[in-house]
Amino acid sequence: MGNIAGILFGLIGLAIPILIIAAIVYFVLRIKSGISLSISYKAALRVYFYIVILVSVGLTGLGGVSTLINVGLGEIVGQEFSYGEVYQDHRELQDLKNNEDYVVRDNRSLSEKLDLEMKGNLINGISLAVIGAFLMLVHFLGRRWVETADEHSDLLRRLYLIAGLAIFAVITIVSLIAGIPETLRYALLEIEPGQESPGEALSIAIVGLPIWVSYLVATLRNVRSQ
């Protein structure tokens, strides 16, 4: 669950400065165009919908679906491909057990730890995917209900697309940079089980890439419509 929390906090950490910059740009453009800075209830509601949609996309894809893909990779390729931390922790525990002063508190075998990790990831992945999909559906329908046809390509919509594009571009590029070299080292080098564990980074890249492309296509369509 710690890895999932790290993903979500990282997503929020990326989203907050990008949304702040987008808000500054929005207000500057409104001032330059001579439009009043008063914010209507509807505009605030649209901002809320867009923020929750961004978070729910990350929750569903990066938190839920990528975790399930990581579990699948572990079953197909090998458990050390996805659960390297379990192997590392188990080796460290074995080294500590060789110390006469060490008190044994965990007598579970490596296979038991791997099975527990897999089941925990499976539960977390399904839960986050379902919760995120529900939030995304509700807020997507809510946004469609309050927006008019002209607002589908207005400034606020464009700022949302740019924010989503930037967030998922960074996440995908970072995960590709981490996942591909680790996968190659795992496949080509003779290493101890768990020493290279690219499953998580590769799973995030597999999910993040189509989301990034989707935001890119939507942004380009929005630009062409103008």
Side-chain angles (χ1 to χ4, degrees), residues 23-99:
I24 294 173
V25 172
Y26 176 74
F27 287 122
V28 169
L29 292 176
R30 285 182 68 93
I31 292 173
K32 293 182 66 176
S33 61
I35 302 175
S36 173
L37 286 178
S38 61
I39 301 176
S40 66
Y41 177 76
K42 180 181 179 181
L45 188 60
R46 289 182 64 207
V47 171
Y48 160 76
F49 281 136
Y50 280 129
I51 292 175
V52 177
I53 288 172
L54 273 178
V55 174
S56 60
V57 169
L59 181 65
T60 304
L62 306 181
V65 178
S66 69
T67 302
L68 296 177
I69 292 176
N70 190 33
V71 173
L73 291 175
E75 295 298 311
I76 296 172
V77 181
Q79 291 180 315
E80 68 277 5
F81 189 84
S82 296
Y83 312 122
E85 291 184 0
V86 178
Y87 284 86
Q88 296 286 1
D89 292 343
H90 184 73
R91 274 197 291 267
E92 292 176 2
L93 183 61
Q94 296 304 312
D95 292 338
L96 289 173
K97 286 182 178 180
N98 294 330
N99 187 341

Side-chain angles (χ1 to χ4, degrees), residues 1-216:
M1 189 67 182
N3 293 334
I4 296 173
I7 294 170
L8 296 179
F9 282 121
L11 180 64
I12 294 172
L14 281 172
I16 290 175
I18 290 175
L19 291 172
I20 291 174
I21 294 172
I24 294 173
V25 172
Y26 176 74
F27 287 122
V28 169
L29 292 176
R30 285 182 68 93
I31 292 173
K32 293 182 66 176
S33 61
I35 302 175
S36 173
L37 286 178
S38 61
I39 301 176
S40 66
Y41 177 76
K42 180 181 179 181
L45 188 60
R46 289 182 64 207
V47 171
Y48 160 76
F49 281 136
Y50 280 129
I51 292 175
V52 177
I53 288 172
L54 273 178
V55 174
S56 60
V57 169
L59 181 65
T60 304
L62 306 181
V65 178
S66 69
T67 302
L68 296 177
I69 292 176
N70 190 33
V71 173
L73 291 175
E75 295 298 311
I76 296 172
V77 181
Q79 291 180 315
E80 68 277 5
F81 189 84
S82 296
Y83 312 122
E85 291 184 0
V86 178
Y87 284 86
Q88 296 286 1
D89 292 343
H90 184 73
R91 274 197 291 267
E92 292 176 2
L93 183 61
Q94 296 304 312
D95 292 338
L96 289 173
K97 286 182 178 180
N98 294 330
N99 187 341
E100 295 181 356
D101 298 329
Y102 178 76
V103 179
V104 178
R105 294 187 177 90
D106 189 353
N107 292 317
R108 287 176 297 182
S109 64
L110 177 59
S111 61
E112 290 174 334
K113 294 177 182 178
L114 290 170
D115 185 64
L116 183 63
E117 183 73 10
M118 184 272 292
K119 291 179 179 178
N121 285 352
L122 194 60
I123 293 171
N124 292 336
I126 293 174
S127 300
L128 293 177
V130 171
I131 294 170
F134 174 76
L135 292 174
M136 183 167 52
L137 177 62
V138 170
H139 288 81
F140 178 80
L141 294 176
R143 180 190 63 81
R144 291 287 298 270
W145 185 66
V146 301
E147 277 188 349
T148 63
D150 293 337
E151 290 173 335
H152 289 172
S153 57
D154 67 354
L155 178 60
L156 184 58
R157 168 76 173 175
R158 279 177 276 168
L159 291 175
Y160 156 72
L161 291 175
I162 290 296
L165 180 63
I167 291 170
F168 292 106
V170 171
I171 291 174
T172 304
I173 292 171
V174 170
S175 59
L176 285 172
I177 292 173
I180 291 178
E182 285 189 17
T183 302
L184 293 175
R185 289 195 296 268
Y186 174 87
L188 302 177
L189 302 180
E190 295 183 1
I191 54 179
E192 294 183 4
Q195 188 174 344
E196 295 291 344
S197 182
E200 182 179 11
L202 199 60
S203 300
I204 294 173
I206 291 172
V207 175
L209 184 59
I211 297 176
W212 176 20
V213 172
S214 297
Y215 272 96
L216 179 59

